Amino acid sequence: MKTTTRYFQILDQLTRMFLARLDDLHPCLLLLVIPLFVLVVGAAAFAIAVIAAAVTLIAASGGVILLARWIINAAAAYSNRRAAVTA
C-alpha cells in the first residue's frame, strides 16, 4: 500500500471520528462546523491561487527583464560593429 494512500485513510478516519464526536455533543453543532470548515478551506484555496498568481507575475517580469537585456545587448553589439573594409 502506498504511503500517500495510507495518510489519506488516516486523515479520513480522523475526520469521521471528529464529526461523530461532534454530533454526539450536540446535533446542531455540526451545522455550525460544516460552513466554518467550508469557509476555511475556501480561504486556503483562495490564498493558494493568489500565491500562484504572484509567482506567475514574478516569473513573467523576470522574463521581460531578461528579454530587454538581450535586446539592449544585441543593439549595442550591432551599433559597435565595424564596417567591413573593401579595397
Side-chain angles (χ1 to χ4, degrees):
M1 179 178 281
K2 290 187 176 181
T3 308
T4 312
T5 308
R6 183 71 183 137
Y7 286 141
F8 283 132
Q9 287 178 347
I10 291 171
L11 186 63
D12 183 50
Q13 290 172 356
L14 287 174
T15 305
R16 287 177 189 270
M17 184 184 67
F18 172 73
L19 291 176
R21 297 281 182 199
L22 194 62
D23 199 32
D24 288 343
L25 287 175
H26 195 280
C28 291
L29 210 59
L30 192 61
L31 296 176
L32 295 174
V33 170
I34 289 176
L36 182 65
F37 178 75
V38 169
L39 195 68
V40 168
V41 169
F46 181 72
I48 289 172
V50 168
I51 290 170
V55 168
T56 302
L57 287 174
I58 290 170
S61 65
V64 168
I65 290 170
L66 289 175
L67 183 64
R69 286 182 60 192
W70 179 72
I71 291 171
I72 290 169
N73 287 337
Y78 181 77
S79 64
N80 288 334
R81 69 183 178 136
R82 299 202 183 258
V85 177
T86 56

